[in-house]
Amino acid sequence: MKKFMNTAETMAAESVEGFVRAHESFVVFGADRKCVRRRQLQPGKVAVISGGGAGHEPMHIGFVGQGMLDAACVGHVFTSPTPSQIISAIEETDSGQGCLLIVKNYDGDIMNFEMAIEMAAGRHDIETVIVADDIETARVGEGRGRRGVAGTLVIEKLLGAAAEQGMPLQALKRLGDGLSTRIRSMGVALNGVTVPHTQRTTFALGAGEMEVGIGIHGEPGHSRQPFTASDAIVHQLCETIVGDIAMKPGAKALLFVNGLGGTPPAELYLAYNAARRFMEKRGIEIERSLVGTYVTSLDMQGLSITLALLTTEELQLWDFPVITAALRWS
Amino acid sequence: MKKFMNTAETMAAESVEGFVRAHESFVVFGADRKCVRRRQLQPGKVAVISGGGAGHEPMHIGFVGQGMLDAACVGHVFTSPTPSQIISAIEETDSGQGCLLIVKNYDGDIMNFEMAIEMAAGRHDIETVIVADDIETARVGEGRGRRGVAGTLVIEKLLGAAAEQGMPLQALKRLGDGLSTRIRSMGVALNGVTVPHTQRTTFALGAGEMEVGIGIHGEPGHSRQPFTASDAIVHQLCETIVGDIAMKPGAKALLFVNGLGGTPPAELYLAYNAARRFMEKRGIEIERSLVGTYVTSLDMQGLSITLALLTTEELQLWDFPVITAALRWS
């Protein structure tokens, strides 16, 4: 295991500190470093908060800023943030319009966010949107079913934009729940990753193997298959995604090819090219695209493909200005 | 070698095609796909052009757009674009104010850009800025000395902004040559990379080794050393950089930590944190920061650190709006 780190214990904290310093013009640590929040909070809007284990950077801290999240909490590597962290983020960002929590569907995250909500209830109006966009981790029948993976970025971008424009809490909750039914992701890994504090590789792959349907915590996937040409891999992922999502003719979509940490941009663009051809052959209009390393699993070599079917209004939310470390446009 | 690709022959072309499709709102292929250029060219300014081998994405195509490059040419993996490609980019973008070519200091690039200039002379005013920011590849005594690595991004951003604001050709040339004396980079690799068309690994490292002072074409570095803690690695790179650059007290700087393709954002931020502390202890004010995967060497695990000493005017050029795939702000 060769990683740029000093100790397993300090890895996440040192990385987040570097992040905050690199983007100090618009993000800042919350009290006791329990969360990372916007430097300038905007009163009069619903606070949008997310969080999860470290090891998925730039998610979620890279999505904090104008037009997206108000705050994000980071746990240790692959470990949920504590209820105390989440409560702190709520208290620092709720300006009276309530808080929307965006939570990926993992047992630890669900439990800790639920505990935080119970403890903050009465003082804060809180709604939760659960993200569960990953097709394949559902099939292995573990825990709560589908996990939240790269589709989380899409949900956070659209709800962040809607909140910024003044959408109230209940409407944001409905929008988020509706979006969740139209966003699907699937990933493939070319290697397992070593978790620093256990020094264990999550799964081991031979030189000619790949793991299809992986999650972002190094869970093994749905099946181990012979490694093959990129077009065949992309075709398999896209076929599964399209088969799992209720599709209308002429549907408009966002196509997102996400790197899992160790895959360079050139390979992601090559995969995007094949995914785009596939979708267009199926009559899906790709109206927006995103290609890059946004939702990672440490230094995993691999990628995921996300398809989000969006309405015209939702496409406008995608285009709404955003100033974060990972997404930035006006 | 596990990479998302179909064939070694088509890898670069398929990747660039995916790139152009993903960013079709502001980039387009030039004639016969010889270059990638802005969709909307802006007449009345100097055209700023760069190019180089594939395998370094998002450089240079990711820097094409408003406020940065007008066009970029991509060769095969680690192979210079042809003179014919470069001439085509010149012809498509020169609106009468001349062309500034930004060329990394490699034999193949220099030769092909020089041939293109000779062939285009008389019809176009052309100046060239050579980028040679890499400290360590100089010491191995190969070829033309220092190579152009991640500092290329800084030069292309600043000259692109200056050109956008109407700076004439000769002034851009002087600005670029001046900048080159104040930008230094150094990199470290944790593995060698496999070049697709040769199937050869550029250098092989043991589990406990790292290669210090590498270039971006898989050249071996200045020395092979035992792999160690991130802080010690960063300290060594920063020490070498600071020792090589003429420094005045109170100097203002841009600090850029660049991923070489296979290193995840979390590790880059951790390294940035250490680099920032180092620079501040030496009295260097870090006025701007950039952390991410911008100038790669295929899927190399590793990073480089770039320090650029900039004047107040140059910092303003850094802040000038840019709309490209890799850098985007307003």
Side-chain angles (χ1 to χ4, degrees):
Chain A
M1 180 190 70
K2 283 194 272 187
K3 294 181 200 292
F4 291 99
M5 56 181 281
N6 296 303
T7 71
E9 290 66 36
T10 59
M11 185 186 188
E14 289 177 67
S15 178
V16 176
E17 182 173 276
F19 174 88
V20 171
R21 298 217 68 194
H23 304 289
E24 62 196 354
S25 65
F26 61 92
V27 296
V28 68
F29 273 118
D32 300 329
R33 300 198 165 190
K34 287 185 176 174
C35 69
V36 173
R37 68 167 176 82
R38 299 191 197 182
R39 182 173 281 278
Q40 291 280 345
L41 290 168
Q42 176 139 344
K45 68 179 276 296
V46 172
V48 184
I49 297 169
S50 190
H56 307 304
E57 290 75 13
M59 179 174 82
H60 300 272
I61 51 178
F63 308 151
V64 172
Q66 203 180 307
M68 211 162 166
L69 302 181
D70 292 86
C73 303
V74 189
H76 291 289
V77 173
F78 292 175
T79 305
S80 172
T82 63
S84 155
Q85 285 182 275
I86 299 160
I87 291 170
S88 184
I90 292 169
E91 287 175 347
E92 293 207 24
T93 59
D94 185 1
S95 67
Q97 309 299 310
C99 290
L100 185 76
L101 308 182
I102 302 175
V103 184
K104 300 190 301 301
N105 193 33
Y106 295 94
D107 287 345
D109 286 351
I110 298 274
M111 188 175 72
N112 285 3
F113 274 87
E114 277 178 358
M115 281 177 63
I117 292 167
E118 269 178 43
M119 292 159 78
R123 302 193 307 279
H124 301 274
D125 281 339
I126 301 173
E127 289 290 352
T128 303
V129 170
I130 307 289
V131 186
D133 58 312
D134 190 0
I135 297 173
E136 283 291 318
T137 48
R139 303 204 177 161
V140 298
E142 282 179 40
R144 292 169 187 267
R146 291 171 188 243
R147 322 292 179 84
V149 290
T152 312
L153 176 151
V154 182
I155 302 260
E156 294 185 355
K157 172 69 182 82
L158 299 182
L159 295 181
E164 206 80 29
Q165 292 176 291
M167 186 179 282
L169 183 58
Q170 295 302 325
L172 286 169
K173 160 76 173 157
R174 282 193 301 275
L175 175 60
D177 288 344
L179 280 168
S180 290
T181 66
R182 290 177 276 120
I183 301 179
R184 291 290 179 273
S185 301
M186 188 172 169
V188 58
L190 309 188
N191 65 354
V193 291
T194 305
V195 180
H197 50 280
T198 63
Q199 296 278 324
R200 283 209 195 129
T201 301
T202 52
F203 52 86
L205 288 176
E209 292 178 324
M210 64 181 179
E211 189 78 22
V212 179
I214 42 85
I216 56 172
H217 295 86
E219 308 91 336
H222 180 248
S223 64
R224 187 155 305 180
Q225 299 177 17
F227 180 66
T228 183
S230 176
D231 280 2
I233 298 170
V234 168
H235 191 281
Q236 181 182 358
L237 299 184
C238 289
E239 192 77 74
T240 309
I241 289 168
V242 167
D244 191 78
I245 196 167
M247 199 77 67
K248 292 175 190 162
K252 293 182 196 317
L254 165 75
L255 177 61
F256 170 23
V257 174
N258 174 61
L260 288 168
T263 297
E267 295 179 39
L268 299 179
Y269 279 114
L270 191 144
Y272 168 84
N273 200 34
R276 174 121 185 206
R277 283 174 196 274
F278 179 97
M279 295 298 170
E280 289 179 343
K281 272 193 192 150
R282 296 301 174 95
I284 302 163
E285 284 180 46
I286 302 304
E287 296 274 337
R288 300 292 184 279
S289 299
L290 187 68
V291 182
T293 295
Y294 294 101
V295 176
T296 59
S297 181
L298 293 171
D299 51 355
M300 181 178 276
Q301 240 192 312
L303 58 80
S304 64
I305 296 176
T306 298
L307 185 72
L309 300 185
L310 301 178
T311 64
T312 305
E313 293 71 28
E314 290 160 357
L315 290 170
Q316 285 166 356
L317 292 174
W318 181 259
D319 295 338
F320 190 76
V322 61
I323 303 177
T324 69
L327 293 184
R328 188 167 170 169
W329 55 75
S330 59
Chain B
M1 179 190 69
K2 285 195 272 191
K3 295 180 199 291
F4 291 98
M5 56 181 279
N6 296 302
T7 71
E9 291 67 35
T10 59
M11 186 186 188
E14 288 178 66
S15 178
V16 176
E17 182 173 274
F19 174 88
V20 170
R21 298 219 66 194
H23 303 289
E24 61 197 354
S25 64
F26 60 91
V27 296
V28 69
F29 274 116
D32 300 329
R33 300 197 166 192
K34 288 185 177 176
C35 70
V36 173
R37 68 166 176 82
R38 298 191 198 183
R39 182 172 280 277
Q40 290 280 346
L41 290 167
Q42 176 136 348
K45 66 178 278 295
V46 172
V48 183
I49 297 168
S50 190
H56 308 303
E57 291 74 15
M59 180 175 82
H60 300 272
I61 51 176
F63 308 151
V64 172
Q66 203 180 307
M68 213 160 164
L69 301 181
D70 291 86
C73 302
V74 188
H76 291 289
V77 173
F78 293 175
T79 306
S80 173
T82 63
S84 156
Q85 285 182 274
I86 299 160
I87 290 171
S88 184
I90 292 169
E91 287 174 347
E92 293 207 25
T93 59
D94 186 0
S95 66
Q97 310 299 309
C99 290
L100 185 75
L101 307 182
I102 302 176
V103 185
K104 301 189 301 304
N105 193 32
Y106 294 93
D107 286 346
D109 286 350
I110 298 275
M111 187 176 73
N112 284 5
F113 274 88
E114 277 177 357
M115 279 176 64
I117 293 167
E118 268 178 45
M119 292 158 78
R123 302 193 307 281
H124 301 275
D125 280 339
I126 300 173
E127 289 291 352
T128 303
V129 170
I130 307 289
V131 187
D133 57 310
D134 189 2
I135 296 173
E136 282 291 317
T137 47
R139 302 201 180 166
V140 298
E142 281 178 42
R144 291 171 188 266
R146 292 172 188 243
R147 321 289 178 86
V149 288
T152 312
L153 176 150
V154 182
I155 303 259
E156 294 185 357
K157 172 68 182 83
L158 300 181
L159 294 182
E164 206 79 29
Q165 293 178 290
M167 187 180 279
L169 183 60
Q170 295 303 324
L172 286 168
K173 160 78 173 155
R174 281 193 302 275
L175 175 60
D177 288 344
L179 280 168
S180 291
T181 65
R182 291 177 276 119
I183 301 179
R184 291 291 180 274
S185 301
M186 188 172 169
V188 58
L190 309 188
N191 63 356
V193 291
T194 305
V195 180
H197 51 278
T198 63
Q199 296 277 324
R200 282 206 196 134
T201 301
T202 50
F203 51 85
L205 287 176
E209 292 179 324
M210 63 182 181
E211 189 79 21
V212 179
I214 42 84
I216 54 172
H217 295 86
E219 309 91 336
H222 179 248
S223 63
R224 188 154 304 181
Q225 299 177 16
F227 179 66
T228 183
S230 176
D231 280 3
I233 298 170
V234 169
H235 190 280
Q236 181 182 358
L237 299 184
C238 289
E239 191 78 72
T240 310
I241 289 168
V242 168
D244 192 78
I245 194 167
M247 198 76 67
K248 290 175 191 163
K252 292 182 196 320
L254 164 74
L255 178 59
F256 171 24
V257 174
N258 174 61
L260 289 167
T263 297
E267 295 179 39
L268 299 179
Y269 279 115
L270 192 145
Y272 168 83
N273 201 33
R276 172 115 185 214
R277 283 173 194 273
F278 179 98
M279 294 299 171
E280 289 179 342
K281 273 194 192 148
R282 298 298 175 95
I284 302 163
E285 284 179 48
I286 303 303
E287 297 274 337
R288 299 293 184 278
S289 297
L290 187 68
V291 182
T293 295
Y294 295 100
V295 176
T296 59
S297 180
L298 294 171
D299 51 356
M300 182 177 276
Q301 240 192 312
L303 57 80
S304 63
I305 295 175
T306 298
L307 186 72
L309 300 185
L310 301 179
T311 65
T312 304
E313 292 71 29
E314 289 160 358
L315 289 170
Q316 286 165 356
L317 292 174
W318 181 259
D319 295 338
F320 190 76
V322 62
I323 301 177
T324 69
L327 293 184
R328 186 165 171 172
W329 56 73
S330 58

